[in-house]
Amino acid sequence: MNKTILQYTNMEDREILKRVSESAENENSTNTLISDLKDTLSNIKNGAGLAAPQIGVNTRVFITRNYRDDKPEKFLTFINPEIKLKSKEKIMIPDGCLSIPNVQSKTIRHSYVKVSYLDESFNKVEEELEGFQSVVFQHELDHLNGILFLDLLKNEEQQQVENFFVRQKNEPNIFYVEGKIIEMTLKNG
């Protein structure tokens, strides 16, 4: 079932988004959750992944588009995921979030991670992820730990984003992109 994505600017939603998620134990409820995550992300063109807390479920499950095999129309499922090893090499990459629309900034992520998780069939998987799949995995895992990409920004930029949210209430056609506020106007016809 297509679910509503919680929004950071809503204080009740923010409280839920900042919680650390609990282990997924029940296979039936986890399968329903996975179905809901897939239905929801399927209806979003620019979403790379979606974590259970973003639809209000405090469970350690997320899905991503399959960048690992260069098949973004397909999904990968991660149940009770964890990072076993992180590369020393890090990359700075533009980051955004479905729970924080109209905001994009650069974050630093590991270029490579060795991970373990249960797949959709509840089989244990250990694998190495690199490139964009590694970055998306780290972003979604952060959600399960109550961390949003804004938490990774320097304090000064966090304050700029909070100021942006105040301004956005009266100016809905503005976007925050890497420290700049950009106004978008739509032309008819």
Side-chain angles (χ1 to χ4, degrees):
M1 179 183 301
N2 190 24
K3 299 289 186 175
T4 300
I5 295 176
L6 300 186
Q7 297 299 300
Y8 181 80
T9 53
N10 176 306
M11 291 305 157
E12 290 175 9
D13 287 359
R14 186 182 299 193
E15 186 177 308
I16 295 167
L17 291 167
K18 300 295 263 175
R19 290 184 189 144
V20 175
S21 295
E22 298 174 5
S23 179
E25 302 295 335
N26 182 305
E27 197 167 325
N28 287 335
S29 62
T30 300
N31 284 330
T32 300
L33 172 59
I34 292 165
S35 178
D36 290 346
L37 288 166
K38 287 180 177 182
D39 288 347
T40 304
L41 191 56
S42 292
N43 289 305
I44 301 168
K45 292 181 183 177
N46 63 345
L50 187 63
Q54 292 180 275
I55 60 169
V57 181
N58 189 26
T59 303
R60 297 189 73 76
V61 176
F62 66 79
I63 64 168
T64 71
R65 295 195 183 275
N66 186 350
Y67 300 107
R68 179 191 65 200
D69 302 319
D70 200 27
K71 296 180 179 175
E73 70 282 359
K74 304 273 186 193
F75 296 117
L76 297 174
T77 300
F78 301 91
I79 302 167
N80 297 330
E82 56 185 307
I83 294 176
K84 296 292 195 180
L85 180 69
K86 301 174 185 178
S87 66
K88 290 181 182 176
E89 179 184 69
K90 295 182 179 181
I91 53 176
M92 184 174 280
I93 187 161
D95 210 339
C97 183
L98 297 173
S99 291
I100 312 170
N102 302 336
V103 175
Q104 178 187 330
S105 197
K106 290 185 177 177
T107 58
I108 297 173
R109 302 279 185 181
H110 297 276
S111 61
Y112 154 94
V113 289
K114 184 174 183 179
V115 302
S116 73
Y117 59 93
L118 300 176
D119 67 12
E120 197 166 347
S121 300
F122 285 80
N123 297 313
K124 185 163 179 97
V125 176
E126 288 196 10
E127 67 178 325
E128 299 171 359
L129 300 174
E130 61 185 3
F132 194 58
Q133 186 67 60
S134 169
V135 167
V136 175
F137 182 96
Q138 291 169 73
H139 176 106
E140 298 306 329
L141 183 61
D142 280 350
H143 275 294
L144 304 185
N145 294 321
I147 299 168
L148 301 169
F149 88 93
L150 296 181
D151 298 323
L152 306 179
L153 304 178
K154 292 179 180 173
N155 289 341
E156 180 181 313
E157 188 168 5
Q158 287 179 3
Q159 188 56 54
Q160 288 175 344
V161 173
E162 288 298 331
N163 293 340
F164 164 78
F165 291 140
V166 171
R167 184 173 163 191
Q168 189 183 37
K169 289 178 185 175
N170 296 319
E171 301 174 63
N173 293 329
I174 61 173
F175 297 81
Y176 181 92
V177 181
E178 297 176 16
K180 297 181 179 100
I181 294 178
I182 299 170
E183 184 174 351
M184 303 291 279
T185 52
L186 303 174
K187 293 183 178 181
N188 292 331

